[in-house]
Amino acid sequence: MKSFFEQSIRWVVLLVVAAASFVSCSKDGDSGRMVLSQSALFIEEPGGTGTVGLTTSNVSSISFSNLPGGWTAEADLSTGTLRVTAPSVIDEEHVESGNLILSGRTTGGGYVSATLYVAIAATDDLSTQQANCFVVTRPNTNYSFDATLRGETSEMMPTAKVEVVWQTESGLLQYLNLRDGKVSFYVGAEDDDETQIKQGNVLLGAYDAAGTLLWTWHIWITGYDPVGKAVTLANGTTVMGSNLGAMNNSNATTDEILESYGLYYQWGRKEPFIGPSAYNFSMGSSEAMYDGNAKRVYNAFEASDATKGTLDYASRQPLCFLLGVEQSRYDWLYASHSEELWNSSSKSLYDPCPKGWHVPSADAFAGLSIADKSGSATDYMDKYGWELTDGTATMLFMGAGRRVYTDGKFQNVYNPLPESRNEALEAQPWVGLYWTADALTNAQSAAFYFYFNKKDVAASGVEPSVAHYRANGMPVRCVKEQLSLIHISEPTRLRRIS
């Protein structure tokens, strides 16, 4: 039988900053107010104690109309605090979680009430992992980090509220709260398995008091553990075990293929874009996204121009995929084509990788080749990825295609170059395109590239550096930061395609 905690947490999908106060049964125009500083309190160990701020107006006394079994609470009007203690043991009478309801008696004889969700749950302060992306792998845990810092810098922001910009499933983050500059949120488990985290991607936004978006963070919630499954190549580069934002790295089934694509990025932007809804791109549509109120949200696609094609506009419009135009040289930036937004030698402010990881240089993938292409075309047609090897290490890279710079739509085909202008092109299924941090001339950057050729499987290949327009959206495979200064003495070959 599921515990009360397990049952109740399944029903909680709200995202709130502070507990609501309710006014009722007032007499002779009397009214009162009672507000808690947060909507939930998580205590890490049985028998532990926690406090919550309590603000009241015209309240003379407080009692408790509901206390979960074994829990105790004490409200102090003089100090404005609520002290809660969890039961020291959990049994049939002492529960792990529940709703604690306060009733405040007003001076005129009416009452007000407030509700606090209390639970015994693990806590994890991610502040030491401060970055543009946080990897979350432990279920039934209350996470927190400093919401006043920009990226991995010490630059402060006047954060007044934190909200979900988009998430891949409603209710991924529960009890979102901002207190004293620190944001906290609870991540639960799958309904049918308490040991498995409820997976998905979330983009959190920090806003000032006027509602202006200041910064965003990618919360990568996965049970796959991409850090633990990292692989070190012969050149010393340690490569993360999956694409950034992926929930798997496998092409054994169609579901696992779709889980393994991850998120897509325009070169130099830290804001991720959602992946496709079908493993084979057949529908051409994106995976669904929701805001903090479980309402569907969608990407916007806008052509870069002098107003929109700026770093400031892109940072404040994380749902907007900026299309490349001829005047911008097919960069999402219209005029100022920065070469430093991503950097492989020192991690940049806009790098989308977690703490200790960064976008790689093209040299990181030099020497990789397809491990086995001895089979027939049908053996590889639906694999959507190759096992690549350098002779020492082998790992799977997904052929996840790209979001095209001209319209933002998904494309996943290999277009072989014709031997003559009169030869008709026949598109071949699936390619792998991964951004690197290497900025090239003419507002282009280098992508790691591989492809499957169904007409001649042996002709399928890998190229570590191919020039692409920066408005393309591509996956990213992060590499470990302390090895970022490794350079391959032999330069990589560069081929230009769009």
Side-chain angles (χ1 to χ4, degrees):
M1 179 180 296
K2 288 182 178 290
S3 68
F4 182 77
F5 172 69
E6 292 176 277
Q7 296 179 52
S8 60
I9 198 67
R10 305 296 179 239
W11 292 94
V12 182
V13 295
L14 57 155
L15 299 170
V16 288
V17 175
S21 62
F22 302 92
V23 180
S24 59
C25 298
S26 59
K27 292 183 179 181
D28 302 322
D30 172 68
S31 63
R33 179 172 175 265
M34 183 164 59
V35 178
L36 298 171
S37 62
Q38 57 200 68
S39 59
L41 176 65
F42 298 98
I43 297 175
E44 195 157 5
E45 299 289 342
T49 297
T51 59
V52 174
L54 174 64
T55 301
T56 61
S57 175
N58 203 29
V59 173
S60 58
S61 63
I62 293 178
S63 60
F64 300 97
S65 59
N66 184 73
L67 272 172
W71 291 74
T72 61
E74 180 182 358
D76 190 331
L77 287 172
S78 63
T79 60
T81 57
L82 171 66
R83 182 181 176 88
V84 180
T85 301
S88 57
V89 295
I90 303 300
D91 53 29
E92 291 184 358
E93 297 181 359
H94 300 77
V95 299
E96 291 176 307
S97 65
N99 286 318
L100 185 158
I101 302 176
L102 295 81
S103 294
R105 192 71 172 176
T106 68
T107 56
Y111 69 88
V112 291
S113 65
T115 301
L116 179 72
Y117 182 79
V118 294
I120 300 172
T123 61
D124 191 351
D125 188 348
L126 302 173
S127 296
T128 58
Q129 303 173 37
Q130 196 80 31
N132 293 322
C133 173
F134 294 95
V135 183
V136 169
T137 59
R138 187 168 61 169
N140 297 325
T141 301
N142 193 50
Y143 293 90
S144 63
F145 64 87
D146 192 332
T148 66
L149 296 179
R150 196 183 303 270
E152 296 185 26
T153 72
S154 58
E155 183 182 349
M156 299 287 289
M157 301 182 296
T159 304
K161 64 177 179 178
V162 176
E163 294 182 352
V164 172
V165 178
W166 61 259
Q167 55 187 329
T168 51
E169 186 176 343
S170 61
L172 277 176
L173 301 190
Q174 299 173 9
Y175 299 110
L176 183 64
N177 183 60
L178 179 68
R179 185 180 186 185
D180 298 329
K182 182 165 283 191
V183 63
S184 63
F185 52 86
Y186 180 85
V187 176
E190 289 289 353
D191 290 345
D192 57 352
D193 189 348
E194 186 192 354
T195 66
Q196 296 298 313
I197 198 166
K198 189 175 183 179
Q199 298 190 124
N201 287 291
V202 181
L203 191 67
L204 273 183
Y207 299 81
D208 65 15
T212 301
L213 181 63
L214 303 173
W215 202 253
T216 57
W217 300 277
H218 168 209
I219 312 299
W220 182 7
I221 310 171
T222 174
Y224 178 74
D225 189 12
V227 173
K229 291 181 171 62
V231 173
T232 300
L233 303 178
N235 62 18
T237 303
T238 299
V239 183
M240 191 169 276
S242 70
N243 292 353
L244 189 52
M247 302 298 146
N248 210 327
N249 192 43
S250 169
N251 57 2
T253 68
T254 57
D255 286 344
E256 290 176 352
I257 289 172
L258 185 59
E259 290 176 349
S260 302
Y261 287 152
L263 301 173
Y264 292 68
Y265 295 81
Q266 294 188 287
W267 192 91
R269 294 184 70 178
K270 65 179 178 62
E271 299 81 18
F273 291 91
I274 201 72
S277 61
Y279 84 99
N280 58 4
F281 295 70
S282 60
M283 300 169 63
S285 58
S286 301
E287 185 182 358
M289 298 183 295
Y290 306 86
D291 65 14
N293 297 314
K295 182 180 178 181
R296 282 287 300 269
V297 294
Y298 301 87
N299 286 127
F301 301 92
E302 299 178 349
S304 180
D305 59 26
T307 301
K308 297 174 182 175
T310 67
L311 182 59
D312 182 69
Y313 184 87
S315 298
R316 298 187 191 284
Q317 302 293 331
L319 282 166
C320 180
F321 189 97
L322 288 163
L323 307 176
V325 296
E326 184 177 2
Q327 296 89 332
S328 72
R329 290 186 282 177
Y330 303 107
D331 189 353
W332 59 270
L333 285 170
Y334 188 76
S336 178
H337 305 287
S338 174
E339 311 294 298
E340 303 298 328
L341 292 177
W342 288 353
N343 193 314
S344 62
S345 60
S346 60
K347 191 170 183 180
S348 69
L349 176 63
Y350 298 97
D351 191 295
C353 295
K355 182 76 170 181
W357 301 80
H358 69 104
V359 180
S361 68
D363 283 341
F365 302 123
L368 287 176
S369 61
I370 299 169
D372 180 18
K373 49 184 176 180
S374 60
S376 66
T378 54
D379 293 328
Y380 306 107
M381 187 78 74
D382 290 326
K383 288 300 183 183
Y384 285 85
W386 287 116
E387 292 278 355
L388 301 181
T389 183
D390 58 6
T392 300
T394 300
M395 66 187 311
L396 176 67
F397 283 82
M398 298 306 301
R402 59 173 169 160
R403 280 182 175 267
V404 182
Y405 62 96
T406 53
D407 57 14
K409 293 181 179 179
F410 290 103
Q411 184 186 93
N412 197 8
V413 294
Y414 160 58
N415 287 305
L417 297 175
E419 295 181 1
S420 70
R421 293 180 181 273
N422 296 323
E423 182 180 345
L425 292 177
E426 180 181 346
Q428 307 296 313
W430 64 262
V431 296
L433 286 163
Y434 288 75
W435 275 130
T436 76
D438 297 350
L440 305 173
T441 59
N442 198 32
Q444 294 179 313
S445 291
F448 172 52
Y449 173 61
F450 55 86
Y451 52 92
F452 165 62
N453 188 334
K454 73 175 182 180
K455 296 180 71 176
D456 183 2
V457 174
S460 304
V462 181
E463 298 183 34
S465 183
V466 176
H468 271 272
Y469 296 129
R470 294 177 188 169
N472 279 298
M474 298 182 190
V476 168
R477 183 70 71 94
C478 302
V479 298
K480 206 166 187 179
E481 191 174 4
Q482 58 261 41
L483 300 178
S484 63
L485 296 180
I486 291 178
H487 295 281
I488 309 301
S489 57
E490 196 172 314
T492 57
R493 181 169 64 94
L494 177 67
R495 181 161 73 84
R496 294 187 177 277
I497 61 176
S498 59

